[in-house]
Amino acid sequence: MKAITVQELAQRFSLEILAGADQVEHRQISKARPHRPGLEFVGYFDFFPQEHVQILGKKEINYLHTLSEEERNHHIGNIVKYHPPCFIVTGNQDGLKYLTKYCELEGIPLLRTGSATSEFIARLDGFLVKHLAEEISIHGVCVNVSGIGILLRGKSGVGKSETAHTLIRRGHRLVADDIVVLKKLSPQTILGTHNESTKEFLALRSIGLVNVSRLYGRKAFQEETRITLDIELTKWKDDALNNELELDEKFTDYMGVKVPHIEVQLQPGRDVAGLIEAAANNWYLRQQGYSAAEEFMKRLEFS
C-alpha cells in the first residue's frame, strides 16, 4: 500500500509543527479524504476513520473552547486514543494547549496552517488522492488532443512517437513517451502522466531524443491528463473489414476502469494523426449524445 509520511506532508504544505515533532518521520498516511471530527466530539465513534488525517477548523476549535476543562479533556482524550496519523489545525488558530498536551502524550503530530479550512481540505485531498492512487506503468505514448487524453499503444517501432510528434506540430500536447504512468483516481477515472525521467522527452527513430518544450514551446507539453481513449496502432490487415459500423463500443480495462478502445491500422499514406484527431472529436460528440453510426442506421431504416 502506498503511503506518505507526515513529515513529507508538512514540507509539501509548509505546515507548522506544534507537537509530536519526533514522530513526523515515522507516522504514515495511507488514506486520502481528510476527516473533520464532529460526532466524535460527542462520543460517537462507530464509523470514525482513524487512519485518515484529522482536520480541526474554526467550528471544531470554537466548540472545544466552549467546553469546560474537564469536558474538553474527555473529548480530546477519546479521539487521540485512536491514534490518527496527525491533526491539522487550520486558520492559524491558537489557544491549543490542551491539544498540544494530549498529542505530546500520545506521540501524535499536531500541525497548523494559515489556510482556510475548505481551501486546505480541497488542496490536501487532491494531493493525497493523486499521491496514494493505485498505479501501473505501461509501454506507450500519452497525448492530449483538443483537451481529450489519449493513450497510444502498439508494438515497438509501429510509429507511436512519430504520430505523437505530428500531433504536437498540429498544436496538441505530449504528456508521456515510452513509459506512461497510469493512476486510478476513482472507479471511473484514470490519470495519465510521465515518470519524471522522461518528462518532456520524445524519442524519434533516426533522430533521437527531442525536448518538445524546447523545440515547440511550453504549450507542447502538459504534466497529466485524464485518459478517455485507448488507441492501438496495428499493422494493416488486408483481410480485415476496415469500414465496419461499430455500434457497440470496445473497451480496455486498466485497474478495473474501462476505457473506450479503438484500433487504427497503419498503411503508408494514411494520415494517422488526422484519424486520431477525428477519433477524439467523434468521442466528444458521443459524450454530447450524438452518434454518427446510429444516425446512419436510422436513415437506412427510413429510406
Side-chain angles (χ1 to χ4, degrees):
M1 180 180 294
K2 298 179 67 177
I4 182 174
T5 66
V6 174
Q7 183 178 49
E8 291 175 301
L9 192 70
Q11 292 173 346
R12 173 65 176 77
F13 290 96
S14 301
L15 303 176
E16 178 186 2
I17 301 175
L18 303 177
D22 59 336
Q23 294 295 316
V24 294
E25 294 183 23
H26 311 294
R27 298 189 72 86
Q28 295 190 331
I29 302 163
S30 59
K31 301 289 186 180
R33 311 304 180 195
H35 175 68
R36 296 182 70 175
L39 290 174
E40 292 78 15
F41 283 138
V42 294
Y44 187 77
F45 287 91
D46 285 4
F47 300 98
F48 179 48
Q50 63 191 72
E51 297 179 349
H52 296 238
V53 174
Q54 304 298 311
I55 304 294
L56 300 175
K58 287 187 177 181
K59 289 181 180 179
E60 291 78 19
I61 297 299
N62 286 341
Y63 170 72
L64 292 173
H65 286 339
T66 65
L67 303 177
S68 67
E69 183 177 355
E70 182 180 354
E71 291 174 322
R72 191 163 55 225
N73 290 339
H74 174 70
H75 291 319
I76 295 299
N78 282 341
I79 290 181
V80 297
K81 71 181 181 182
Y82 284 90
H83 285 263
C86 65
F87 289 96
I88 301 178
V89 177
T90 60
N92 268 341
Q93 297 175 88
D94 51 19
L96 307 173
K97 289 183 179 179
Y98 53 91
L99 272 174
T100 303
K101 179 183 73 173
Y102 275 98
C103 287
E104 288 287 5
L105 286 173
E106 297 292 338
I108 302 173
L110 174 64
L111 313 170
R112 182 165 61 185
T113 176
S115 300
T117 307
S118 57
E119 173 198 344
F120 181 73
I121 288 178
R123 290 169 54 213
L124 177 60
D125 188 44
F127 171 76
L128 290 177
V129 166
K130 288 183 181 179
H131 192 87
L132 302 177
E134 178 185 356
E135 68 177 52
I136 58 173
S137 296
I138 67 168
H139 175 67
V141 177
C142 183
V143 290
N144 184 283
V145 177
S146 300
I148 296 170
I150 295 177
L151 188 62
L152 297 178
R153 295 187 299 108
K155 293 182 178 179
S156 181
V158 77
K160 300 182 295 296
S161 298
E162 290 81 358
T163 301
H165 179 253
T166 303
L167 288 167
I168 292 167
R169 291 187 62 196
R170 294 185 180 184
H172 306 296
R173 297 178 176 180
L174 174 72
V175 176
D177 181 43
D178 191 32
I179 299 174
V180 181
V181 178
L182 300 180
K183 296 187 176 187
K184 181 180 179 180
L185 301 188
S186 76
Q188 298 83 31
T189 306
I190 291 289
L191 189 76
T193 186
H194 52 80
N195 69 345
E196 291 295 338
S197 62
T198 60
K199 179 179 178 179
E200 300 177 316
F201 287 120
L202 185 65
L204 300 173
R205 289 178 182 269
S206 303
I207 302 298
L209 283 176
V210 298
N211 186 311
V212 298
S213 294
R214 296 291 184 92
L215 206 59
Y216 299 109
R218 294 182 59 83
K219 66 179 182 179
F221 173 79
Q222 71 179 58
E223 291 282 344
E224 58 193 29
T225 187
R226 178 179 177 178
I227 302 297
T228 51
L229 275 179
D230 176 74
I231 297 181
E232 184 179 6
L233 304 182
T234 63
K235 293 183 178 180
W236 186 267
K237 303 169 187 175
D238 290 330
D239 58 345
L241 183 61
N242 298 305
N243 61 342
E244 57 184 328
L245 293 177
E246 294 189 7
L247 295 178
D248 296 326
E249 282 189 286
K250 295 180 180 179
F251 297 91
T252 303
D253 188 287
Y254 293 109
M255 296 174 286
V257 180
K258 291 185 177 181
V259 179
H261 170 81
I262 298 172
E263 179 182 342
V264 175
Q265 295 185 19
L266 306 180
Q267 190 180 48
R270 291 199 94 191
D271 180 9
V272 180
L275 292 174
I276 290 172
E277 288 177 319
N281 292 330
N282 200 45
W283 177 88
Y284 177 79
L285 288 175
R286 288 182 70 93
Q287 303 315 297
Q288 306 306 307
Y290 173 79
S291 169
E294 290 178 1
E295 181 180 358
F296 179 71
M297 295 302 294
K298 288 179 181 178
R299 290 185 184 183
L300 290 180
E301 290 179 9
F302 295 102
S303 62

